[in-house]
Amino acid sequence: MTVRRIRFTDREPAQADILEEVLSGLLSPKKRLPPKLFYDKRGSELFEAICETPEYYPTRTEIGILRDYAAEIAETIGRNCILVEPGSGNSQKVQLLLETLRPAVYMPMDISKDHLKTSVQALGATFPWLHVHAMCVDYSAGLEPVEPPPVSGASKKVVFFPGSTIGNFEPGDALAFLRRVASLVGPGGGLLIGVDLKKDPTVLHQAYNDAQGLTREFNLNMLHRINAELDADFDPGRFYHYAFYNPRESRIEMHLISRGAQEIHLAGAVLRFADGESVHTENSYKYTVEEFRKLARTAGFRVGSHWLDDGKLFSIHYFDL
Ligand code: AVI
C-alpha cells in the first residue's frame, strides 16, 4: 500500500470560539483566561525559551529520562505503534524515541498551525522513513477525530503526552482527558505520559519566576495576543505576572494582576478591573507517583512502568489498557 509520507489536516479553531472563551472568562466574577491561549507563535517561542532557562527543570529533566531510558521505554511499548501526540509543539521530545520505537505512523496534533508545519517539515528531513499525519486541532475540545492514515503493519495506538501538560488540567478534567485517551487507544493501546512531581516549593517557585523574566513575558503575551487577534485595548504594562505554589491545591498558580483600576474594551464589552484584581491564567498541578498512578487506574488504565530522574523531580509513566 502506498501512502503519502507527510499529511496535514487543518481543524484550526475559529476566531469566534476564542472570542467567546475570552469574554466568558473575563466577565466571570473570578476572572480567568484559558492557558491554551498562551500558544500563539510568540507564546510558543517564549515557552521554548522558558524550557531552556536554568530554573525551569521539567523539560531538561524529562529529556534526561527519555535519553537514559529510551531503549527500555521502546521495549515496554513495542514497535510499529500508531503514535499520537496531542499538543506536540516542536516535537522535540518524541525525537528521542523515534529511532528505537520505530512507530508505523506519528500523528502530532497542535493548535499552533505555523509551529506545527515547521516542526513536521524538520521531522521529515531528520527521519526520512517516518510517516507523519499532522493535525492542526484544539485537542482539549476532543480527541475523537483522530483517524490514522492507512499504514500497513501498524499495531496498537499509543498516546504520547509529555511535558506534564496533564498538570495544566483541573483534576476532574485530567481524569476526563485520561478517559478520552483510553477510549481513543482502545484495548491493547497505551499512554506514555510525563508528569511533574511534588517537591520543595522553592524549586517550584523559581521555575515559574525565572530571573530572565521569560515566564512573565509568556504570561503577559496573552494580553498582547488578545489585543492583536480580538482587537482589545489591554495595556500589558498595567498588569504584572504573579506565580506561586499553592500547597493546599498542589499547584502552581499563574495570574495577571491589574496595576490600578482600569477599563478594557473588547468586542463591544467594557471589562472593569479593580486595583490588584487577578486574571487567573494557569494552574500547573504536581503529583506524587502514587497519586498519578491512582488517577490513571481510575481512568481505566492498568498500572504499568514508570521512570524517574535521580533527583526525583519528574516522572514518565507508561500505562496500557
Ligand atoms: C506546558 N506546561 C506543562 C507548562 C507548565 O509548567 O505548567 C506551562 C508553563 N507555564 C509557565 N511555565 C511553563
Side-chain angles (χ1 to χ4, degrees):
M1 189 180 329
T2 48
V3 288
R4 277 182 296 136
R5 224 173 36 78
I6 296 189
R7 293 178 168 208
F8 195 89
T9 302
D10 192 352
R11 297 209 183 100
E12 193 177 27
Q15 212 66 312
D17 302 343
I18 298 175
L19 175 63
E20 210 178 289
E21 283 199 68
V22 167
L23 266 182
S24 84
L26 294 180
L27 288 168
S28 74
K30 281 192 172 175
K31 293 186 173 59
R32 57 188 153 72
L33 284 168
K36 67 182 173 195
L37 281 192
F38 284 132
Y39 302 98
D40 64 352
K41 188 164 185 294
R42 175 79 184 129
S44 300
E45 285 164 3
L46 281 165
F47 179 60
E48 280 178 27
I50 289 170
C51 293
E52 301 286 317
T53 62
E55 296 93 342
Y56 194 75
Y57 64 86
T59 308
R60 65 170 175 278
T61 309
E62 186 177 38
I63 287 173
I65 301 171
L66 287 170
R67 281 216 172 94
D68 290 350
Y69 296 104
E72 209 176 299
I73 293 171
E75 199 180 317
T76 307
I77 298 175
R79 286 189 161 203
N80 285 325
C81 69
I82 295 160
L83 190 63
V84 181
E85 184 177 359
S88 52
N90 61 6
S91 291
Q92 179 199 15
K93 290 170 191 164
V94 79
Q95 298 192 35
L96 299 167
L97 291 175
L98 289 175
E99 285 297 349
T100 40
L101 190 59
R102 287 273 166 167
V105 59
Y106 169 57
M107 301 183 67
M109 304 163 78
D110 206 278
I111 196 169
S112 173
K113 185 156 62 180
D114 296 340
H115 211 58
L116 184 63
K117 281 193 166 160
T118 318
S119 30
V120 165
Q121 273 160 7
L123 268 184
T126 316
F127 302 94
W129 51 268
L130 183 67
H131 290 279
V132 182
H133 183 178
M135 301 177 82
C136 176
V137 65
D138 175 7
Y139 72 84
S140 67
L143 283 172
E144 291 72 18
V146 181
E147 258 325 302
V151 177
S152 57
S155 58
K156 58 193 173 189
K157 279 189 194 153
V158 172
V159 164
F160 180 46
F161 202 54
S164 203
T165 304
I166 194 72
N168 297 133
F169 290 60
E170 293 306 302
D173 295 341
L175 178 61
F177 177 77
L178 294 181
R179 285 196 166 121
R180 288 211 306 271
V181 170
S183 87
L184 169 80
V185 300
L191 167 67
L192 183 68
I193 185 164
V195 184
D196 197 12
L197 296 175
K198 285 185 178 168
K199 59 183 61 64
D200 179 351
T202 316
V203 176
L204 288 168
H205 181 88
Q206 285 170 356
Y208 293 82
N209 290 281
D210 65 281
Q212 285 175 74
L214 292 170
T215 311
R216 174 183 164 276
E217 240 186 278
F218 175 70
N219 203 2
L220 287 165
N221 180 59
M222 219 188 250
L223 304 183
H224 288 286
R225 178 177 185 181
I226 294 169
N227 283 347
E229 293 185 19
L230 303 176
D231 206 21
D233 60 357
F234 278 107
D235 174 358
R238 296 201 63 201
F239 287 83
Y240 64 86
H241 163 73
Y242 184 48
F244 62 94
Y245 185 63
N246 177 339
R248 289 185 69 148
E249 301 288 346
S250 310
R251 69 190 189 199
I252 284 282
E253 294 187 15
M254 292 223 307
H255 298 257
L256 289 166
I257 309 287
S258 178
R259 295 179 196 271
Q262 51 184 320
E263 282 185 356
I264 307 297
H265 303 92
L266 168 63
V270 179
L271 307 166
R272 292 192 176 80
F273 290 77
D275 182 24
E277 188 174 355
S278 143
V279 183
H280 194 159
T281 50
E282 187 179 59
N283 287 323
S284 192
Y285 284 86
K286 311 301 171 188
Y287 293 87
T288 63
V289 166
E290 266 323 306
E291 282 167 348
F292 198 77
R293 283 158 71 100
K294 195 170 160 206
L295 192 70
R297 241 185 346 248
T298 311
F301 285 98
R302 284 195 303 205
V303 165
S305 315
H306 69 273
W307 298 269
L308 306 177
D309 58 298
D310 291 344
K312 297 190 170 35
L313 296 173
F314 202 90
S315 59
I316 295 179
H317 300 250
Y318 183 68
F319 303 108
D320 56 15
L321 265 183

